Amino acid sequence: MFSGIVEKIGRLEKIETKQGKIYFTIKVGGFLSGIKIGDSLACDGVCLTAIKITNSRFTVELMPETLHLTKFSQAKIGDSINLEKSLRASDFIGGHFVMGHVDAVGLVKEIISQGANASLIISVPKKIIKYLAYKGSVSVNGVSLTIAGRGKNWFKVCLIGYTLKITNFGTLRVGDKVNIEVDTIARYLESLLKK
């Protein structure tokens, strides 16, 4: 479990396929202290397990299902990746509970610059729009954000300059894909109401 507060940006250094399995090696400085093999890390909002660690790199294995459900199916060497360590029971929750289970891939439709700040309009599959509420929480590439508006198949988030600087949002372009995870509370409410 994570809180959607990005700690570092890593760089995708290597993509390997071995015996039908996909491995990503991510380079990042000043982040891996305290991380051990088997620990969970949020990589652009996807919960992945570290299977190899060196001083400034770690390797994760991606299941075919993970590739199918995330933007990682189109990953390229050099991509920047938002990183967050998993929460400990004593940690401060700065965002909202993020599971690392991506619900859909969104598409950046519009970027509205507002001085040092910006707003993003992101289109999403209609099947998940019902989980997105005005002023509710959403995770985009692993970043906990507040929904500032929504339509039939899109939602809007606003980004302060600090968020643009410490996440990979600063390099986003119109047409880029992003990982979307809806607030878990919305899913539980739906499940309860169905009964």
Side-chain angles (χ1 to χ4, degrees):
M1 184 182 293
F2 309 92
S3 71
I5 304 300
V6 169
E7 297 173 65
K8 276 282 191 177
I9 299 176
R11 198 68 61 185
L12 183 55
E13 188 174 68
K14 189 188 297 183
I15 302 172
E16 295 177 281
T17 304
K18 293 180 184 175
Q19 299 174 334
K21 298 177 181 179
I22 308 290
Y23 299 92
F24 283 5
T25 297
I26 298 167
K27 183 176 181 180
V28 58
F31 175 73
L32 296 173
S33 172
I35 301 267
K36 60 186 185 305
I37 291 173
D39 283 353
S40 296
L41 299 167
C43 302
D44 268 349
V46 182
C47 181
L48 297 173
T49 302
I51 61 168
K52 183 178 177 184
I53 301 169
T54 63
N55 289 337
S56 60
R57 291 167 180 80
F58 68 96
T59 301
V60 293
E61 180 183 339
L62 287 83
M63 302 291 291
E65 183 75 356
T66 304
L67 289 175
H68 173 70
L69 292 174
T70 70
K71 71 174 196 162
F72 287 152
S73 62
Q74 297 180 356
K76 303 179 300 300
I77 301 296
D79 284 353
S80 60
I81 298 176
N82 292 329
L83 301 172
E84 180 188 356
K85 296 175 185 174
S86 58
L87 288 173
R88 293 174 176 83
S90 60
D91 285 346
F92 175 74
I93 310 294
H96 72 283
F97 286 125
V98 176
M99 300 292 138
H101 306 154
V102 170
D103 291 292
V105 175
L107 185 71
V108 177
K109 297 295 283 182
E110 189 176 354
I111 300 172
I112 305 158
S113 294
Q114 300 157 323
N117 307 324
S119 295
L120 302 178
I121 307 293
I122 300 170
S123 67
V124 292
K126 288 185 181 179
K127 67 180 181 179
I128 71 159
I129 200 72
K130 64 183 176 180
Y131 301 112
L132 302 174
Y134 177 62
K135 303 281 186 176
S137 297
V138 66
S139 168
V140 180
N141 277 358
V143 182
S144 174
L145 297 168
T146 302
I147 297 166
R150 61 161 249 183
K152 288 182 179 179
N153 67 343
W154 60 269
F155 68 94
K156 175 183 177 181
V157 290
C158 300
L159 309 170
I160 62 171
Y162 179 75
T163 303
L164 290 167
K165 184 178 179 181
I166 65 154
T167 70
N168 59 14
F169 289 157
T171 60
L172 276 181
R173 300 290 175 259
V174 170
D176 283 352
K177 293 185 176 181
V178 289
N179 291 325
I180 306 294
E181 181 186 327
V182 302
D183 191 348
T184 303
I185 294 170
R187 288 215 174 272
Y188 281 117
L189 282 173
E190 179 187 48
S191 180
L192 288 167
L193 291 171
K194 278 184 178 177
K195 293 180 180 179

